[in-house]
């Protein structure tokens, strides 16, 4: 990552479900899609919600890793897209790629290279990667780290004004 992520944007399960549903609503005018390609692991949860809302039964995964905790490394493709879907994309079928967020855009670029005709959607977007995404719901600033509900646990929060309660 290019700049420190000194703000935080924690997302609850409720909020994530609502935002993913809002993304599904927005995607209704872009389909119908024959299949979803979820970018694991973060894209698996919104992909399940969107598949349910849009009645899509075929879900493929592509595994791309670029972060170790909050540090960006080089892009590694751990699992590519199966050849049937590569052929479907090349023949003009509408595929939908889903991820939880786009940050620098490195992951999105790698997956777009595999499926150049697919519609790319994320729940959240940061400015550096926004142009690589066709549809998203909420933008946060580049110096914000989004904390997803599957990475969080309930814990004590100090008062905003400082000190202890
Ligand atoms: O736009 P970028 O700068 O490439 O960052 C966005 C990607 O980073 C995160 O995935 P990560 O590589 O951490 O793997 P994970 O989904 O398994 O958590 C996130 O889920 C996106 O896929
Ligand atoms: O949980 C996450 N939050 C983020 O803001 C982010 N950016 C890249 N990868 C990320 N993972
Ligand atoms: Mg990811």
């Amino acid at each position: 990552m290019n700049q420190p992520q000194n703000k935080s944007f924690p997302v609850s399960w409720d909020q994530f479900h609502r935002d993913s549903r809002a993304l599904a609503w927005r995607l209704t005018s872009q389909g119908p899609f024959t299949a979803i390609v979820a970018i694991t692991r973060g894209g698996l949860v919104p992909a399940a919600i969107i598949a349910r809302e849009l009645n899509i039964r075929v879900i493929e995964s592509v595994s791309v890793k670029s972060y170790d905790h909050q540090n960006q490394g080089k892009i590694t493709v751990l699992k590519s897209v199966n050849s049937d879907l590569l052929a479907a994309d090349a023949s003009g079928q509408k595929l939908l790629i889903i991820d939880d967020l786009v940050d620098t855009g490195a992951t999105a670029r790698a997956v777009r290279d595999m499926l150049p005709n697919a519609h790319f959607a994320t729940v959240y977007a940061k400015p550096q990667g926004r142009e690589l995404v066709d549809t998203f719901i909420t933008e946060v600033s580049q110096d914000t780290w989004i904390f997803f509900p599957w990475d969080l646990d309930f814990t004590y929060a100090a008062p905003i004004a400082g000190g202890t309660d």
Side-chain angles (χ1 to χ4, degrees), residues 76-87:
T76 315
V77 178
L78 300 168
K79 179 197 167 291
S80 192
V81 179
N82 83 33
S83 53
D84 287 357
L85 285 186
L86 292 176

Side-chain angles (χ1 to χ4, degrees), residues 50-61:
I50 288 158
R52 187 268 180 187
E53 298 302 338
L54 301 187
N55 202 19
I56 298 169
R57 300 251 168 202
V58 178
I59 305 186
E60 164 66 329
S61 68

Side-chain angles (χ1 to χ4, degrees), residues 40-42 99-100:
T40 70
R41 295 162 303 178
D99 207 351
D100 51 358

Side-chain angles (χ1 to χ4, degrees), residues 91-107:
S91 72
Q93 283 187 41
K94 273 193 170 180
L95 304 182
L96 175 62
I97 303 168
I98 297 288
D99 207 351
D100 51 358
L101 83 144
V102 62
D103 187 323
T104 64
T107 304

Side-chain angles (χ1 to χ4, degrees), residues 10-130:
V11 180
S12 68
W13 282 110
D14 275 3
Q15 187 178 346
F16 192 78
H17 193 185
R18 259 196 307 274
D19 289 342
S20 298
R21 270 214 176 122
L23 181 59
W25 271 109
R26 201 162 283 181
L27 289 168
T28 52
S29 59
Q30 306 293 331
F33 300 102
T34 51
I36 285 179
V37 177
I39 305 180
T40 70
R41 295 162 303 178
L44 289 169
V45 181
I49 295 165
I50 288 158
R52 187 268 180 187
E53 298 302 338
L54 301 187
N55 202 19
I56 298 169
R57 300 251 168 202
V58 178
I59 305 186
E60 164 66 329
S61 68
V62 55
S63 179
V64 178
K65 183 178 188 305
S66 67
Y67 287 82
D68 188 9
H69 191 46
Q70 293 188 5
N71 304 308
Q72 189 174 28
K74 74 170 176 45
I75 288 276
T76 315
V77 178
L78 300 168
K79 179 197 167 291
S80 192
V81 179
N82 83 33
S83 53
D84 287 357
L85 285 186
L86 292 176
D89 184 65
S91 72
Q93 283 187 41
K94 273 193 170 180
L95 304 182
L96 175 62
I97 303 168
I98 297 288
D99 207 351
D100 51 358
L101 83 144
V102 62
D103 187 323
T104 64
T107 304
R109 210 168 278 117
V111 179
R112 269 199 177 284
D113 284 349
M114 298 175 203
L115 298 166
N117 301 310
H119 190 96
F120 201 112
T122 61
V123 185
Y124 304 113
K126 299 187 194 179
Q128 256 187 50
R130 191 184 49 207

